[in-house]
Amino acid sequence: MTRRVAVIGGGSSGLACIKSCLDEGLEPVCYESSDDIGGLWRFKENPEPDRASIYHSVIINTSKEMMCFSDFPIPANFPNYMHNSLIMDYFRMYADHFQLTKHIRFNTKVLQVRQRSDFAHSGQWDVETENKDGKTEKHIFDAVMICIGHHCHPNLPLHDFPGIDTFEGTYFHSRDYKTPEEWRNKKAVVIGIGNSGGDIAVELSRVTKQLYLSTRRGAWILNRVGDNGLPLDLHFNRVLDFLQLILPFGVFCGLGERQLNQRFDHALYNLKPKHRLFSQHPTVNDELPNRILSGTVQVKPNICRLQGSSVEFDDGSVVEDVDLVVFATGYRFSFPFLASHVTSVSGNKASLYKYVFPPELERPTLAIIGLVQPLGAIMPISEMQARWATRVFKGCTKLPSVASMLKDVQCKQETMAKRYVSSQRHTIQVDHLNYMDEIAGLLGVRPNIPRLLLTDPRLGLKVLFGPNTPYQYRLKGPGKWAGARQAIFTLWERVAQPMQTRPCDDPKTKRSFMWPLILSAAVVGWAAYVNRNNFPAYLQDPTALLDKMKVYLPAQ
């Protein structure tokens, strides 16, 4: 019998899970509580309870070549950094191409996921659902993949802000922010300098009377545009990752910080944090320095208290007549339909082997997909997790012992605690390349660089020195894609195409005699220096100089 797999959530991770199940001959049934795919990336004017929500202007921070699914490149004419509406277009293309939508049950909420009484033998689950009419149903599944993300439940720490109950203006979490127009000529404070906080501060500053950006720690600010105008994430490769492994952490951070400070001095802009560059999830924002330089954004420390319409900061400064406070203070994740003994969440931490499998289940038939915060794109990581999990469900790949998995979980938690600033934001951090290679190794699709260099040198060099694109993980092993090599070789064409929107002829080069003159002068000068002792004799008898030169001239 074909094994049935319940996929909970129809966002990017859910789509990858449906596709991976189909690739492995499994039967997926996806339950999506809304009426459409897309998850986080589907903009809705009115946020829905327990669902991710974005603002209208959101543009992704990872370039298209680094965020695409590994066997379905984003169209060449799409911009390198895409607006959320284009991301939705891509998801629809992906779902249509692989015929995924027919496996999705829309407007269906999962109420409960429980182990069956014979779980130790069968590994099966009882899944209870409710449709939009309130009708409940129970289903039996051989495996479950949870793909609800970690941006559903806003973290709103009002207890940390004395006097918030007396505030006369408006305050809300960043998930409730949509557009800036209603705050024109108002005073606004944004709390938090993550990616959402930075974006909202910049956008509001274009219309507000004054925007104050409050941050406890400061942040290192990265730019989407890297060297030579290329997307920043296309500069990261395996060589750079190797340097990160061999160089002391402080030295590697120092190199990056020096480069960021060449763009703008973080201390001068009052943004420099106490932590090192790679000790916090970086903030990507192209415009924030410009807004600070123009005075429309003022960087402030943490808020001490609020009183009426005034806001007092830790440095003693007070801003009067504040109309709006936006809490860009992150999110909490949980699995309300899952029993706590299956996997518990405490302090935004969940004990999961490789951030996917609960290590103490008797049968490995539950996988949590996309519960990571990568230094890079989430889509290829979710896809890699899904490919691995479906192979585990089929029994093609085995998990290690419980003791080994628990040791791995503890090791990762300790490593994270040493490296990152203590924060609920830094509980599921992974380095994109290292984590992709780690899971790819378990799946059997990690690129073998030495072998590639011997058998296909051109491809090997591109994999080693080029961007770490998702296509690399379709070159061999389960799920091998015949188009992977071509996708790697044509990457830069897809990067360039959306920017080639007008003819741009190179100016004709004019022949210059400057360099020949310089070289000739240098040769004459050198000859004069070598023969400086004979120079007076040559002046008295120039024929002697000509006789000497004839030696070096071709014979007649």
Side-chain angles (χ1 to χ4, degrees):
M1 287 181 62
T2 303
R3 297 190 181 194
R4 299 180 74 232
V5 180
V7 177
I8 304 175
S12 62
S13 298
L15 294 176
C17 286
I18 299 171
K19 164 75 163 46
S20 296
C21 285
L22 295 173
D23 287 347
E24 293 296 335
L26 305 174
E27 182 185 337
V29 179
C30 176
Y31 296 108
E32 168 55 45
S33 61
S34 74
D35 59 358
D36 201 359
I37 63 172
L40 171 69
W41 294 101
R42 182 164 61 91
F43 171 78
K44 292 201 75 173
E45 193 67 44
N46 298 310
E48 300 170 347
D50 300 326
R51 285 188 57 79
S53 181
I54 57 173
Y55 38 99
H56 184 268
S57 62
V58 167
I59 292 175
I60 198 166
N61 288 330
T62 50
S63 67
K64 66 178 182 181
E65 292 298 320
M66 298 300 292
M67 63 155 280
C68 65
F69 295 112
S70 58
D71 56 355
F72 195 73
I74 293 173
N77 63 304
F78 276 37
N80 285 282
Y81 289 105
M82 300 192 296
H83 183 262
N84 58 84
S85 60
L86 288 175
I87 295 173
M88 284 297 299
D89 289 345
Y90 171 65
F91 287 164
R92 295 192 201 286
M93 293 176 192
Y94 182 74
D96 291 344
H97 182 79
F98 294 108
Q99 301 181 0
L100 308 181
T101 310
K102 65 182 180 182
H103 301 280
I104 304 176
R105 308 292 180 264
F106 292 108
N107 296 305
T108 305
K109 182 179 180 180
V110 173
L111 301 177
Q112 200 167 42
V113 176
R114 289 182 299 182
Q115 295 163 295
R116 305 207 78 208
S117 57
D118 63 345
F119 181 81
H121 170 70
S122 68
Q124 291 183 324
W125 299 83
D126 285 322
V127 177
E128 184 178 357
T129 63
E130 179 184 61
N131 66 17
K132 63 180 179 180
D133 299 321
K135 181 183 177 182
T136 61
E137 292 181 324
K138 291 187 177 180
H139 316 266
I140 299 173
F141 285 97
D142 299 294
V144 176
M145 306 178 85
I146 299 174
C147 316
I148 62 174
H150 50 89
H151 292 98
C152 294
H153 309 295
N155 177 46
L156 197 61
L158 299 181
H159 58 275
D160 291 337
F161 297 87
I164 187 66
D165 54 324
T166 72
F167 182 57
E168 297 173 357
T170 302
Y171 68 86
F172 50 71
H173 191 271
S174 57
R175 80 184 293 271
D176 296 313
Y177 172 82
K178 296 302 171 185
T179 56
E181 285 305 318
E182 64 178 297
W183 305 108
R184 185 171 294 277
N185 298 322
K186 306 288 187 180
K187 284 187 181 180
V189 176
V190 174
I191 302 171
I193 197 171
N195 287 315
S196 295
D199 283 351
I200 292 172
V202 165
E203 185 167 271
L204 279 171
S205 72
R206 298 194 187 101
V207 300
T208 53
K209 184 178 181 180
Q210 183 62 57
L211 190 289
Y212 302 91
L213 179 57
S214 171
T215 169
R216 285 182 298 171
R217 299 191 183 96
W220 295 102
I221 310 297
L222 276 62
N223 197 355
R224 286 185 181 92
V225 184
D227 293 343
N228 301 313
L230 297 173
L232 177 66
D233 53 6
L234 295 183
H235 292 285
F236 301 131
N237 56 33
R238 294 180 180 277
V239 174
L240 194 62
D241 185 69
F242 178 71
L243 289 176
Q244 183 179 359
L245 292 175
I246 63 173
L247 290 176
F249 181 72
V251 172
F252 192 73
C253 286
L255 293 172
E257 290 163 8
R258 190 174 298 112
Q259 189 166 1
L260 294 182
N261 279 324
Q262 286 178 351
R263 180 179 174 232
F264 74 92
D265 188 333
H266 283 61
L268 178 64
Y269 280 63
N270 213 22
L271 288 171
K272 184 179 180 180
K274 293 181 180 178
H275 59 263
R276 305 308 302 267
L277 172 58
F278 297 106
S279 293
Q280 186 182 38
H281 192 80
T283 298
V284 180
N285 198 299
D286 300 79
E287 297 184 66
L288 184 58
N290 298 331
R291 307 311 297 179
I292 295 173
L293 197 61
S294 65
T296 55
V297 171
Q298 288 188 23
V299 181
K300 305 293 284 185
N302 195 36
I303 291 177
C304 176
R305 66 176 57 85
L306 300 95
Q307 183 66 45
S309 63
S310 66
V311 176
E312 182 180 348
F313 299 93
D314 280 348
D315 61 356
S317 61
V318 178
V319 176
E320 305 285 354
D321 302 321
V322 174
D323 300 286
L324 171 67
V325 175
V326 180
F327 287 84
T329 46
Y331 294 83
R332 295 173 290 103
F333 63 83
S334 65
F335 311 107
F337 46 77
L338 204 58
S340 59
H341 71 270
V342 175
T343 183
S344 60
V345 178
S346 177
N348 249 27
K349 295 179 182 178
S351 180
L352 298 170
Y353 175 61
K354 307 298 184 187
Y355 302 100
V356 176
F357 288 100
E360 297 182 276
L361 279 183
E362 294 166 288
R363 299 291 297 273
T365 56
L366 175 73
I368 297 175
I369 306 299
L371 192 66
V372 289
Q373 181 77 46
L375 297 175
I378 183 69
M379 292 79 169
I381 285 181
S382 293
E383 182 192 43
M384 182 67 73
Q385 291 176 332
R387 292 171 66 189
W388 175 46
T390 50
R391 298 286 289 179
V392 172
F393 294 161
K394 286 182 63 178
C396 300
T397 302
K398 303 292 184 183
L399 297 184
S401 66
V402 172
S404 297
M405 288 192 285
L406 289 172
K407 185 178 179 181
D408 182 83
V409 170
Q410 183 180 0
C411 179
K412 279 182 166 49
Q413 290 176 346
E414 291 174 353
T415 302
M416 198 177 306
K418 289 178 182 178
R419 171 174 167 179
Y420 288 100
V421 173
S422 178
S423 167
Q424 70 170 21
R425 188 187 186 195
H426 299 132
T427 57
I428 49 175
Q429 288 287 140
V430 295
D431 287 331
H432 189 272
L433 174 55
N434 291 337
Y435 185 74
M436 286 285 281
D437 274 356
E438 186 177 7
I439 304 301
L442 299 171
L443 180 59
V445 298
R446 180 174 177 173
N448 186 328
I449 306 296
R451 184 178 181 85
L452 281 176
L453 290 172
L454 289 173
T455 59
D456 192 342
R458 288 182 62 215
L459 178 61
L461 290 172
K462 284 190 176 292
V463 172
L464 180 60
F465 294 103
N468 184 50
T469 54
Y471 320 122
Q472 296 182 10
Y473 302 101
R474 291 283 183 178
L475 290 169
K476 68 168 192 172
K480 180 181 177 180
W481 175 45
R485 186 180 187 276
Q486 180 67 11
I488 292 172
F489 274 87
T490 54
L491 176 146
W492 295 111
E493 296 172 18
R494 291 189 299 278
V495 170
Q497 181 170 326
M499 294 181 282
Q500 305 303 304
T501 53
R502 77 173 183 90
C504 189
D505 297 328
D506 292 331
K508 293 181 179 179
T509 55
K510 295 181 179 180
R511 186 174 180 181
S512 173
F513 294 97
M514 180 181 70
W515 284 109
L517 288 173
I518 291 174
L519 290 173
S520 299
V523 170
V524 170
W526 176 78
Y529 176 78
V530 169
N531 296 283
R532 61 188 182 280
N533 295 328
N534 300 323
F535 197 65
Y538 291 150
L539 289 176
Q540 293 179 1
D541 185 8
T543 55
L545 177 60
L546 292 173
D547 292 339
K548 192 166 186 176
M549 290 174 62
K550 287 179 181 178
V551 177
Y552 300 99
L553 296 174
Q556 296 296 323

